[in-house]
Amino acid sequence: IDAELGPDGSPEKMPVYYTGSVSLGLEEDQYWLSELQVYLRSNFAEAFGATERDIAAPMHGRNKPIALGQVGIRCIHCKNEPATARGQQAVSYPSLVSGIYNSVQQMFRLHFDCCTTMLPEVK
């Protein structure tokens, strides 16, 4: 971690955040989730840390601003498209871990059919 000088001249640590992504699918999901949820988490959605680009993207219906490094859920198929071209519910930022299930369900219900970059065989 690089240090910057604070107002009093002492070093301050810069916040560290994760900017990569990881599949939501886990091997043990098969024991706890429906077959559909297992498929969606492995082939459709990923968790990621929000970047400056993500923060700048328009988010409709969001009450709180997105924070740098905040964990979000997004469609793996259209993640590299401009935010305006991704379609409805391509990205969400659940406020609690317990909200991941609902976020994936909403993504499936509202985004699955309108994702233009998802291959037909995945659908």
Side-chain angles (χ1 to χ4, degrees):
I1 300 175
D2 293 330
E4 286 190 358
L5 297 181
D8 63 355
S10 64
E12 285 186 350
K13 289 187 177 183
M14 295 296 294
V16 176
Y17 59 92
Y18 181 70
T19 59
S21 61
V22 62
S23 173
L24 279 183
L26 300 172
E27 177 108 11
E28 57 269 15
D29 284 348
Q30 63 183 326
Y31 302 114
W32 309 107
L33 300 171
S34 70
E35 200 173 309
L36 175 61
Q37 276 289 318
V38 170
Y39 179 79
L40 292 175
R41 288 178 182 224
S42 297
N43 299 289
F44 188 56
E46 68 182 7
F48 70 99
T51 64
E52 295 282 352
R53 180 179 171 207
D54 297 313
I55 292 170
M59 281 291 293
H60 301 290
R62 181 91 185 152
N63 295 333
K64 295 180 182 178
I66 307 304
L68 193 60
Q70 183 173 343
V71 175
I73 308 294
R74 67 183 171 200
C75 173
I76 63 173
H77 301 283
C78 62
K79 68 181 182 181
N80 295 320
E81 296 296 312
T84 55
R86 288 187 207 143
Q88 185 178 359
Q89 201 66 31
V91 178
S92 66
Y93 295 90
S95 55
L96 301 169
V97 171
S98 59
I100 294 172
Y101 180 88
N102 286 335
S103 290
V104 174
Q105 282 297 104
Q106 285 289 89
M107 186 181 292
F108 172 64
R109 196 170 66 77
L110 300 172
H111 179 70
F112 197 80
D113 288 333
C114 70
C115 183
T116 58
T117 58
M118 188 184 308
L119 298 174
E121 56 267 19
V122 174
K123 291 182 180 185

